[in-house]
Amino acid sequence: MTGNTTSKPAPVQPAIGAMVREGSAVDLRRHTAEDREIFVRWYEDAEIAEMLRHDLAPLSAAQARNYFDSIILPASARGTCWAVYEHGTNRLVGSTALVDIDASGGTSLFRLVIGEKDAWGQGFGTDATDLVLAEAFLNLDLAQVNLEVFQHNPRAQRAYARVGFQETGHHLEWVAREKRQIDVRHMSIARA
């Protein structure tokens, strides 16, 4: 062969974790270290904190990185936390987890954040919730999944109700920093 052949390097694709469960709107994948900075951006956001955190305060970048590295990545490796990707793309849109797993009682607490605001209202939270419930009931053999959601987050309440969560109670919390009370709704779903 003669001549000088040069080719453009292939574009670098972001590293994405292994597929766990495929949905219609989103896919659950294992988190990778490459997810960290996107995750940090979400947890620094005041609007997201208002819907997610009991103190209603965003994390600092350092706090969010530490949370991701010490909690999210290890839980993802254990199969109890997942990256939420828009189906058919490499776009990370959220994170979800089962926490406080009580193996003897067969229960856990569910957590979800759809961090990309342009993905809100597109059914991603509903689909992600459904996929996590499949993991909880089929792979982790849980009997019941519980969650807490703020009364001021009706979008999340509707998503949870669509997959079968029922409200089981509520409690009030005083957020001293904000000088305001929040209503925390309890919801639950049992394995069919």
Side-chain angles (χ1 to χ4, degrees):
M1 206 191 273
T2 62
N4 184 1
T5 59
T6 59
S7 62
K8 292 182 183 177
V12 176
Q13 292 294 323
I16 58 174
M19 177 71 78
V20 173
R21 196 168 284 274
E22 189 174 329
S24 58
V26 299
D27 301 325
L28 297 185
R29 294 182 170 276
R30 298 285 175 137
H31 271 291
T32 67
E34 286 78 9
D35 297 341
R36 181 183 300 107
E37 292 312 308
I38 294 170
F39 185 92
V40 167
R41 177 171 43 84
W42 300 337
Y43 276 75
E44 287 180 304
D45 186 287
E47 187 177 7
I48 291 172
E50 176 76 16
M51 299 298 155
L52 186 66
R53 295 183 39 81
H54 284 254
D55 64 1
L56 307 178
L59 297 179
S60 70
Q63 289 170 322
R65 278 187 200 93
N66 184 54
Y67 179 52
F68 185 84
D69 291 342
S70 64
I71 305 292
I72 299 300
L73 279 178
S76 192
R78 285 190 308 273
T80 59
C81 179
W82 305 273
V84 179
Y85 277 84
E86 183 176 15
H87 180 70
T89 74
N90 288 344
R91 183 176 180 226
L92 179 64
V93 296
S95 183
T96 185
L98 293 169
V99 301
D100 299 336
I101 295 173
D102 176 357
S104 63
T107 64
S108 74
L109 196 59
F110 172 69
R111 299 278 191 239
L112 171 68
V113 59
I114 300 299
E116 296 301 324
K117 294 179 191 178
D118 67 339
W120 291 359
Q122 296 186 36
F124 291 174
T126 301
D127 199 32
T129 302
D130 202 35
L131 295 173
V132 171
L133 291 176
E135 284 295 302
F137 297 142
L138 300 174
N139 288 345
L140 299 175
D141 199 31
L142 297 176
Q144 180 174 309
V145 175
N146 305 305
L147 64 81
E148 292 182 339
V149 61
F150 300 146
Q151 179 63 30
H152 62 265
N153 191 353
R155 184 178 58 249
Q157 291 172 54
R158 287 190 301 271
Y160 302 143
R162 277 193 287 277
V163 297
F165 277 91
Q166 300 290 318
E167 189 169 327
T168 59
H170 75 103
H171 72 272
L172 300 175
E173 290 184 18
W174 179 252
V175 182
R177 185 183 68 81
E178 293 288 321
K179 295 185 172 97
R180 89 182 225 220
Q181 184 170 274
I182 57 173
D183 189 345
V184 182
R185 298 289 159 166
H186 303 237
M187 299 181 84
S188 181
I189 188 170
R191 181 174 55 207

